[in-house]
Amino acid sequence: MSLPFPLTIMLYFQMVIMAGTVMLAYYFEYTDTFTVNVQGFFCYDSSYTKPYPGPDENSDIPPALLLSLVAGVPVLVIIVGETVVFCLQVATRDFENQEKTILTGDCCYINPLVRRTVRFLGIYTFGLFATDIFVNAGQVVTGNLAPHFLTVCKPNYTDLGCQQYTQFITNAQACTGNPDLVLKARKTFPSKEAALSVYAALYLAMYITNTVKAKGTRLAKPVLCLGMMCLAFLTGVNRVAEYRNHWSDVIAGFLIGMSIAVFLVVCVINNFKGKRKQTENSPIDNLAQMPAISIPRVESPLEKNHITAFAEIT
């Protein structure tokens, strides 16, 4: 089966979208192209005077560990899961429920195993970058302050003329602390760690629930899925406990990650469903294939009298 020309165009179009998404995430993450909103604060506001917890590398869940789990565990689970499903289909000769091999050239074939694996991993990767973009956009637009903002900001209250607690400071040059720490303390809403962790956990949970159909997994699947969701929840709790985020930041991150995961799984890849079986016909086809009902012939009284009269004459 060769790859149709419109499908080839769509494939290139999807690659362009993916490349654009990666580039946008890069500009948000590693450049100062987008200026962070400078949000003001009240003098001596206790909401932002928590102790500075140190760099993220000193956290109980450092970025390196979180990113390795978010990027590595789903990839490994999907590859292993698709390989097992494909081997079971081949062993049981369930070829009707298996996607067809696509011919992309004179000698290039795309195996059903490769097709499904690349599809699910590609959608997951796209959602990962999309989550990062949504979170970074929210942080840049809101400029919400971290619980330890005033600790790293080190404002000179005397020069600012803070005579009472209700005085609101909007001066962008009010901080005398490390500019890098101050800038990072202005980017907390929503929580990126919470969004990425719950996105990966929910995507993987829905994949396991919809793909693994083996007997004896009725209890194992929910335990595994709930365990991953619990780890994502603990990631958000850890951010609050270390005074790196507010509860509102974590909840917003959870909502963003869950929304993107549910949308991609339900609307884009249709709950990880494979090829529809050939034997599944529509109700109209089944009705057309039903045998005709034989109705016994009933003689009318007129016809019976005609036959009787004809017999008497002969």
Side-chain angles (χ1 to χ4, degrees):
M1 179 180 180
S2 60
L3 199 63
F5 180 74
L7 190 58
T8 305
I9 298 297
M10 289 301 300
L11 179 60
Y12 287 130
F13 182 68
Q14 292 173 5
M15 294 176 62
V16 171
I17 293 178
M18 188 66 183
T21 304
V22 174
M23 290 299 298
L24 185 57
Y26 171 81
Y27 278 107
F28 264 119
E29 192 74 30
Y30 299 105
T31 67
D32 55 355
T33 305
F34 304 96
T35 306
V36 181
N37 178 44
V38 177
Q39 188 179 112
F41 57 91
F42 289 98
C43 294
Y44 309 103
D45 191 343
S46 60
S47 301
Y48 308 121
T49 57
K50 299 297 187 296
Y52 175 56
D56 289 338
E57 287 72 17
N58 297 339
S59 174
D60 292 337
I61 306 178
L65 175 62
L66 178 63
L67 293 178
S68 61
L69 293 176
V70 167
V73 174
V75 172
L76 179 62
V77 171
I78 291 176
I79 291 177
V80 173
E82 289 304 313
T83 303
V84 171
V85 170
F86 179 78
C87 292
L88 289 176
Q89 289 178 342
V90 173
T92 58
R93 299 183 180 275
D94 187 13
F95 300 112
E96 292 183 351
N97 198 32
Q98 187 182 107
E99 298 187 13
K100 302 301 181 182
T101 300
I102 290 183
L103 175 63
T104 60
D106 294 336
C107 61
C108 300
Y109 296 87
I110 299 181
N111 189 274
L113 170 62
V114 178
R115 287 184 61 193
R116 284 177 55 93
T117 304
V118 171
R119 181 193 309 162
F120 298 154
L121 290 181
I123 295 298
Y124 174 78
T125 305
F126 171 79
L128 204 62
F129 283 106
T131 303
D132 186 77
I133 292 173
F134 271 85
V135 169
N136 282 318
Q139 293 177 351
V140 168
V141 171
T142 60
N144 198 41
L145 307 179
H148 60 271
F149 173 76
L150 292 181
T151 305
V152 299
C153 176
K154 300 178 181 179
N156 191 331
Y157 292 114
T158 303
D159 293 342
L160 295 174
C162 289
Q163 302 296 330
Q164 53 186 352
Y165 291 92
T166 58
Q167 185 173 347
F168 191 72
I169 305 300
T170 58
N171 185 6
Q173 307 299 327
C175 295
T176 62
N178 189 331
D180 294 334
L181 296 180
V182 173
L183 179 62
K184 187 173 181 59
R186 292 185 181 275
K187 300 170 63 177
T188 62
F189 181 87
S191 173
K192 181 180 299 184
E193 289 75 11
L196 293 178
S197 61
V198 78
Y199 166 77
L202 187 57
Y203 187 97
L204 200 55
M206 289 188 288
Y207 172 80
I208 294 174
T209 302
N210 290 281
T211 303
V212 179
K213 303 296 184 181
K215 296 181 179 179
T217 59
R218 182 173 299 178
L219 187 60
K221 287 194 297 184
V223 168
L224 183 60
C225 296
L226 291 177
M228 292 185 296
M229 295 300 297
C230 181
L231 292 177
F233 175 75
L234 292 178
T235 301
V237 172
N238 177 74
R239 298 293 297 182
V240 178
E242 293 182 349
Y243 304 126
R244 300 181 187 275
N245 288 101
H246 300 279
W247 273 113
S248 57
D249 307 333
V250 173
I251 293 175
F254 283 160
L255 292 177
I256 291 176
M258 293 172 63
S259 300
I260 294 177
V262 171
F263 170 75
L264 292 178
V265 171
V266 175
C267 300
V268 178
I269 54 181
N270 195 19
N271 292 322
F272 303 100
K273 292 180 180 179
K275 182 179 179 295
R276 186 170 177 259
K277 289 185 177 182
Q278 299 289 340
T279 56
E280 294 181 359
N281 298 323
S282 63
I284 298 179
D285 296 336
N286 293 334
L287 184 61
Q289 295 176 0
M290 291 179 62
I293 301 176
S294 57
I295 302 177
R297 183 173 179 272
V298 179
E299 296 181 353
S300 64
L302 295 178
E303 183 179 1
K304 186 176 181 180
N305 294 335
H306 175 74
I307 295 175
T308 304
F310 179 78
E312 292 177 353
I313 295 175
T314 58

